[in-house]
Structures are given as structure tokens and as C-alpha cells.
Amino acid sequence: MPAKQAQSRSRSSTRNKSMTTSAPAAGSPGRRVQSLVGVFRLQAKTRGYPFLAAWAHRVSGILLVLYVWFHILTLSALRDAPRFDAYMKILGSLPFVFLEWLLALPVIYHAMNGARLILYEVFQNRQDEIVLKWVIGLGSLYTFLLGLFMVIGNQTISALLFWVYTAAASVCVAYITVAKLRTSGASIFWKLQRISGAFLFLMAPAHMLFMHLNPATGHDAQVIIARMGNPFIKLVDLALLAGVLYHGAYGLYSIGQDYILSAKVKTGVAVLLCFVTLVFAWAGLKLLLI
């Protein structure tokens, strides 16, 4: 019996040691990831996946607003084509290309989940679990296809044809939303947020896809300037600029309203957002007038 007990204690000690050595050390990246996953699982269990989806929507929205501002600043260099091409040479390196592909994740998620929210708020669709699965599925497919096009890098399509169809579909989606919101008692700013979201649902992912069909489409100054010379493309870009800037600014304003307690600070943030939005709107307009 003593021998068996000793063997049992030895096995137990060995198991404990192996568990101790295999577990990530405190403060290590592995432990942080485990903690983060644990938090997500707890929140999903207690509050449901729609709660996590709402948080992811806000985080992705903030990231996209920052990217839009950066994108406008970068495109402003088109007035000096050699300088723009030099920037694009840097941004065309492998690390930045990979980051551009990663940007597809917040773009498509925000677009798809935004559509889910519009279905929920405007069209009274309450099948959240099913719609969330579609968000994840279609988002994954889009991200894969974008990565594939970026790797192939030799796809071409008529810019006019592409944007005629995309803009027409986007206007239809926006019009359906307008018709549904016509009798709503919500504020005009809230309505414009949903309408701009409906318009951008197709426009934003389409813009990213189009710009990465081949390197010249989004990285060659002469190609971009020539494309922007088309009046219809200019009109599409103007609508995209207005929709993105308003949608982003109102989204940031809404987040501030939820978490800022002081009325004075809320007012200050609103004024600041208006100012910043107008600055980037002016920069975008000057860009379109090249």
C-alpha cells in the first residue's frame, strides 16, 4: 500500500508540474490572450453576442474614422504627383499591404453589422442570431476575396461601369431606408446617420475592393487623377466623402453622448467634431477639384 500511495503521489506531482510548465506565465502574451478570450466568453454568456457585436461596431467605427482622415491627408498629396507616388511606394511595401488587407476586417464588419442594426431599428427585424451569422459569413468571404485580388493584382474593370452599378444599388438601398424612416419621429440627424449608413453599406466595401483590384488603381497618381476627371466619378466621390464624414462624425458624437457626463464637455466635443469634419471636408473638396 505505501508503495502504491507513493506512486500515486508521484503521478499527481508529475501532472501538476506539467500543468504548471504548460500554462502561460503571468503577464505573457498567451496569458493576456486567454484572459481576453475569457472576458469575451463571459460577456457573451451574460449579455449575449449582440452586446459584443455592438462594442465591436463602435471600435471598428473609431478605427475607420481615423483611417478616413489619414486617407484624405494622403490623397491630398495628389497635387504633387511625384510626392504622392513616393508615398505610395512606401505604402506599397509588404507590411503596409498586409495592414491594408487587415483594414478589410473593420470595413466589412462595420458595413455588415451596420446593415444588421438598420434591419433591427428601422425594419424591426429581431432575428439577431441569424443575421449575426450572415455578418460573420459574408464578412469572411469578402475578406478572403479581397486578399485574393490583392495577391493576384492584375484585375481590371471599367471604373465608370463599376461605379454606375454600385452607386445605383447604394442609392436604392438608401431610398428604401428613407421611405421607411419617413414617418419616424426620430431626429433628422439620427435619420441621416441611418440613411448614410445604408448608402455606405455597399459603397465602402466596394471602394476598398475597387482600389485593390490592381496596384495602379489606387497607387498611381496619374491613373487616379485621370479617373477623378470623369464627372460621374467625381460625383460618386463627392457623395462618398459626404456620407463617410457625416456618418463618422455622428458616430463619434453618439459614443461621446453615451459616456461623457458633463453637458459642457459634450458640447465642446460636438463643436470640435464639427470643426474637424469641416476641415477634412474642405480638404476632400479641394482634392476633388484637382
Side-chain angles (χ1 to χ4, degrees):
M1 289 293 291
K4 290 183 178 179
Q5 290 177 353
Q7 289 177 354
S8 177
R9 283 196 297 270
S10 176
R11 292 193 193 99
S12 177
S13 176
T14 302
R15 282 196 300 269
N16 290 336
K17 286 180 180 178
S18 65
M19 290 174 64
T20 303
T21 54
S22 62
S28 67
R31 178 60 65 87
R32 293 194 193 99
V33 171
Q34 285 184 354
S35 300
L36 190 60
V37 170
V39 170
F40 284 153
R41 286 178 176 173
L42 178 62
Q43 293 295 334
K45 186 176 180 179
T46 56
R47 300 195 180 189
Y49 284 102
F51 173 79
L52 293 180
W55 264 102
H57 190 78
R58 291 186 167 190
V59 172
S60 63
I62 293 171
L63 290 175
L64 292 177
V65 169
L66 295 176
Y67 171 74
V68 166
W69 292 348
F70 172 77
H71 190 54
I72 292 174
L73 289 176
T74 303
L75 288 176
S76 297
L78 278 170
R79 292 181 175 277
D80 184 354
R83 184 162 66 98
F84 179 83
D85 288 335
Y87 286 159
M88 291 301 104
K89 189 173 182 179
I90 297 172
L91 296 177
S93 60
L94 185 59
F96 284 103
V97 170
F98 180 69
L99 288 175
E100 276 193 291
W101 176 74
L102 283 182
L103 184 66
L105 297 175
V107 168
I108 191 60
Y109 174 77
H110 199 82
M112 295 296 299
N113 193 63
R116 179 186 71 85
L117 293 175
I118 291 174
L119 286 174
Y120 186 91
E121 296 172 344
V122 180
F123 294 89
Q124 307 303 313
N125 186 308
R126 296 293 187 258
Q127 297 177 317
D128 253 1
E129 296 291 336
I130 296 175
V131 179
L132 273 174
K133 290 178 181 178
W134 277 97
V135 169
I136 295 171
L138 292 177
S140 301
L141 178 62
Y142 173 87
T143 307
F144 169 76
L145 289 176
L146 179 66
L148 182 63
F149 288 142
M150 291 175 74
V151 170
I152 297 173
N154 62 357
Q155 306 301 301
T156 57
I157 187 173
S158 165
L160 183 61
L161 184 65
F162 180 91
W163 286 114
V164 163
Y165 281 111
T166 304
S170 299
V171 168
C172 287
V173 174
Y175 178 77
I176 293 171
T177 306
V178 169
K180 193 69 177 178
L181 287 173
R182 191 168 294 164
T183 57
S184 171
S187 72
I188 184 63
F189 300 108
W190 185 90
K191 290 180 181 180
L192 285 174
Q193 174 72 351
R194 271 57 189 174
I195 294 168
S196 62
F199 178 71
L200 294 170
F201 165 59
L202 294 176
M203 290 291 287
H207 177 77
M208 189 169 194
L209 185 65
F210 179 80
M211 289 300 173
H212 292 91
L213 290 176
N214 64 72
T217 303
H219 287 188
D220 188 290
Q222 298 305 323
V223 172
I224 297 172
I225 292 172
R227 182 173 66 245
M228 290 172 59
N230 184 292
F232 179 77
I233 300 296
K234 200 179 289 287
L235 180 63
V236 169
D237 286 340
L238 181 62
L240 191 58
L241 175 69
V244 166
L245 287 179
Y246 178 82
H247 193 81
Y250 190 87
L252 292 179
Y253 170 78
S254 299
I255 294 173
Q257 290 295 303
D258 287 343
Y259 295 102
I260 298 174
L261 300 179
S262 170
K264 291 183 178 179
V265 175
K266 285 182 179 180
T267 302
V269 169
V271 171
L272 179 62
L273 280 173
C274 288
F275 175 75
V276 172
T277 301
L278 289 174
V279 168
F280 281 100
W282 176 243
L285 283 174
K286 287 198 300 182
L287 175 63
L288 291 175
L289 295 176
I290 291 178

